[in-house]
Each structure stands twice: as C-alpha cells, then as structure tokens.
Amino acid sequence: MIQTHQSLKQYNTFGIDHSSRYFVKASSAAEIKEALREARRMELPVLVLGGGSNILFTQDFDGMVVKPELLGIELTDRQSDRITVAAGAGVVWDDLVVWCVDRGWGGLENLSHIPGTVGAAPVQNIGAYGAEVGDAIDRVEGIYIDTLEPFVFLAADCAFGYRSSIFKTELKGRILITRVFFSLSAHPQSNTDYGRIEQELQNQPDKSVHSVRQAIIAIRSQKLPDPAKIGNAGSFFKNPVVTESLASQIRADYPQIPLYPADVSGYCKLPAAFLIEKAGWKGVRRGRVGVHTDQPLVLLAYEGAKGQEVLDLSLLICESVQEKFGILLEPEVNIL
C-alpha cells in the first residue's frame, strides 16, 4: 500500500527526520512493478531505499520511495569447491553473512557486521578488511525502473570498483535490484592480513570463517558507533587514491601513514581517517553534529540534527584536508 508524507527517520541510520511524498514497501516483484507503474503514471521520481545505512537526506523527497522487502536465502548450486547462494534484495546483509558462515562457506566473513540490505550491497560494492562484495558476486537480478523489463548482470558486467559499480554510475536511478547470487568457497581460506584481524584472531579458537567473523565484529564494535544510539552512516568518506609521488611527499612529513595498493599502476590508497585526524577534526563537535572520537571517518548526527548540518560539516572537513594535503575527499555516502 502506498503511503503519503511518510517520515524517513526510521529508514536512515543518520536518523534524519525528512519525509517522502509517497512511500511503499514492496514484498514481491508484482508489488514493486505496481508501485513503479504508479510512480510513472504520476510522473514522480523514484528512490530505491535499502537499509538507509549509506544515505544522507538533506531535504524531503518529492517523489516515491520504494523499499524492496524481497526476502529469502537459498542454495542454488553446489560443486566440489564452490557454493552458489541467492538472497532477496530485502534480506538484512549481516543475516546473509551469518547464514553462510554457519554453514562454513567462505567469501563474506570479512564483510560481517556491515549494516544495510543485500540489494544495496552491489550498488556500493561494500567492502571492509581487505574484501569487497564484488569479489563474491556471481550475478545480479533486477528490473529497469522505466520499462519494468528484467535484467541479469554477471559480475563481469557490473563494473565493480572501489565503492562503486555500474548501478551507482551509468545505471544510477535507473534500476531496482531484486536478487543477488553469490559464489562462495566450500573450503575457505580467509584473508586475515588486513588491519588488526590477525591480532584479534589471537582471541579466537582458530582461523575458521566463524572465528574471522567474530574478530571482525570485535574490531568494528570497538571502532564504529551503534546507529541505534547515535546517528551515523559508518564511513562517510572514501579512502582517496593518489599518485605514488604525492603519497611519498605526504609520507615524508608523516612517516607513520599507511599506504595501500590501488587498482591502477602508479597510484596507491591513503586512509582518509588519518588525513582527517591530522587536519584536526578527530572528536570535534559542532552543535548537533560531530566527528567520532575513535574513527574520524564517521560523522555523527546527534538528536535533532538536520541533514544539511552533516553536509556542511563534511564540506568543512574536505576543505581542511584539501588545504593541508592537496587531496579532495569524496563522500562514500549518497547525498540526497
């Protein structure tokens, strides 16, 4: 059923209280198509909303928000060493990770405890601790918003990149994902070389996917605030990719800055959190918004904060980092 003037406060992890002119939860492909037909009839823009963990509302949405709630996880194929699993777009992302880890299948354990839904994961190509969801995706199914025609994109067609995909670039606003298929390892060897995973695994009984998951949860819980307690969307900025020359210049002044490999030769990735901290923003609060005291990548929205206040703070941070390091940070969060 289509609702009108629906508050979106409970549907975004920043807890920003903006509203949508029309809002519909769709639990089947038929309901999705019905909502999209109605939006087309009324000539309304459409916003597909997953878990709301990667969006910042700065104003009301004068269109139709469609929230897919297609559920279900199933094993679709099993080979000697590979497992294929399908999950509906409305499945909570971490519920899928638990489902796979409990069966001893590898590929998603490093992406534990990330908020959001399965349908949103390919759009952002969510990643953490040396893993990206694009590495585990077999194919993505959905429909085109304008024609209601179905599509199937194999992983190679999704243009997965750092926090990006074809769904976030060329097809942004044009598609709605209904189901995602994942190719997992039946005999996993988890990537534990990133960050503090090996250190945290010392507190676990082994290096199984279950133990890796528990280590990741412990690390994330220490670094990231709970959106149920204070509004945030996790990492607000992408880690910038810069030339090795610029990275060397920065490292000459800050020898402790870690450098990570990039996908392009002659470039490397810098931790945005380090740059933000050195620009003086770690733990800073400005009225109803602020920067987390432990993880400078996380911007906080205290009770009553407006989306524009969060955006204004992010722009000030970008200005400071650019002035100090000559690097323009890009938001990881989608700003509406």
Side-chain angles (χ1 to χ4, degrees):
M1 185 177 74
I2 298 176
Q3 299 170 298
T4 59
H5 304 292
Q6 170 67 48
S7 171
L8 299 173
K9 184 174 183 178
Q10 64 178 312
Y11 298 111
N12 72 97
T13 57
F14 267 118
I16 301 297
D17 193 14
H18 281 295
S19 64
S20 177
R21 184 177 173 189
Y22 297 98
F23 180 91
V24 60
K25 293 181 181 179
S27 57
S28 69
E31 290 181 0
I32 288 172
K33 290 181 178 180
E34 181 182 352
L36 295 179
R37 287 192 192 98
E38 188 65 12
R40 184 168 57 187
R41 185 186 69 80
M42 294 189 287
E43 299 182 341
L44 296 172
V46 172
L47 173 67
V48 180
L49 187 63
S53 60
N54 197 48
I55 191 166
L56 174 65
F57 290 103
T58 62
Q59 60 186 18
D60 293 342
F61 183 65
D62 190 25
M64 181 179 291
V65 168
V66 178
K67 183 170 174 54
E69 296 201 326
L70 292 82
L71 305 178
I73 306 171
E74 61 177 326
L75 171 66
T76 61
D77 187 49
R78 184 165 196 163
Q79 304 296 327
S80 60
D81 59 343
R82 301 302 298 178
I83 304 292
T84 304
V85 171
V91 172
V92 172
W93 171 257
D94 204 48
D95 288 351
L96 171 64
V97 178
V98 171
W99 195 89
C100 297
V101 166
D102 283 350
R103 288 159 175 77
W105 301 335
L108 303 182
E109 61 276 7
N110 286 45
L111 304 176
S112 291
H113 213 49
I114 295 177
T117 59
V118 166
V123 178
Q124 184 71 7
N125 189 20
I126 59 172
Y129 301 100
E132 292 181 335
V133 73
D135 296 330
I137 286 178
D138 177 76
R139 61 190 186 273
V140 177
E141 293 183 349
I143 59 176
Y144 289 99
I145 290 174
D146 56 350
T147 65
L148 304 185
E149 291 296 318
F151 68 77
V152 178
F153 277 71
L154 299 179
D157 302 320
C158 294
F160 288 125
Y162 174 56
R163 302 299 181 271
S164 184
S165 71
I166 193 172
F167 311 115
K168 191 176 180 180
T169 54
E170 182 181 338
L171 296 179
K172 183 176 182 179
R174 295 173 53 195
I175 57 93
L176 185 151
I177 292 171
T178 56
R179 193 159 65 151
V180 184
F181 290 74
F182 301 88
S183 178
L184 308 175
S185 173
H187 310 289
Q189 291 184 329
S190 301
N191 175 12
T192 61
D193 296 332
Y194 196 95
R196 293 172 40 217
I197 301 177
E198 283 287 350
Q199 178 183 340
E200 192 61 43
L201 278 172
Q202 296 176 12
N203 301 320
Q204 302 296 328
D206 50 39
K207 289 190 177 182
S208 66
V209 288
H210 179 78
S211 291
V212 172
R213 170 174 166 77
Q214 294 308 311
I216 297 293
I217 290 174
I219 296 169
R220 289 184 68 89
S221 298
Q222 293 165 14
K223 292 176 60 177
L224 300 172
D226 184 352
K229 297 179 180 178
I230 184 168
N232 74 91
S235 298
F236 193 92
F237 299 102
K238 297 180 183 179
N239 289 323
V241 175
V242 303
T243 63
E244 292 178 348
S245 174
L246 178 55
S248 296
Q249 294 175 32
I250 294 174
R251 201 169 212 181
D253 294 326
Y254 300 94
Q256 68 274 37
I257 187 172
L259 306 180
Y260 302 107
D263 295 333
V264 182
S265 177
Y267 288 78
C268 62
K269 194 182 299 180
L270 301 181
F274 183 95
L275 304 177
I276 294 168
E277 179 177 353
K278 296 306 177 184
W281 285 98
K282 185 177 181 179
V284 171
R285 178 168 178 172
R286 293 284 183 91
R288 297 181 293 191
V289 297
V291 181
H292 196 261
T293 55
D294 296 325
Q295 174 50 275
L297 273 181
V298 178
L299 303 191
L300 305 174
Y302 297 95
E303 185 62 35
K306 300 295 185 184
Q308 187 63 47
E309 294 175 272
V310 179
L311 178 58
D312 290 345
L313 175 63
S314 74
L315 294 175
L316 288 173
I317 292 171
C318 288
E319 184 179 339
S320 294
V321 169
Q322 187 172 27
E323 183 177 340
K324 189 173 185 67
F325 296 103
I327 296 173
L328 179 62
L329 295 180
E330 293 183 48
E332 184 173 322
V333 169
N334 294 299
I335 299 169
L336 187 69

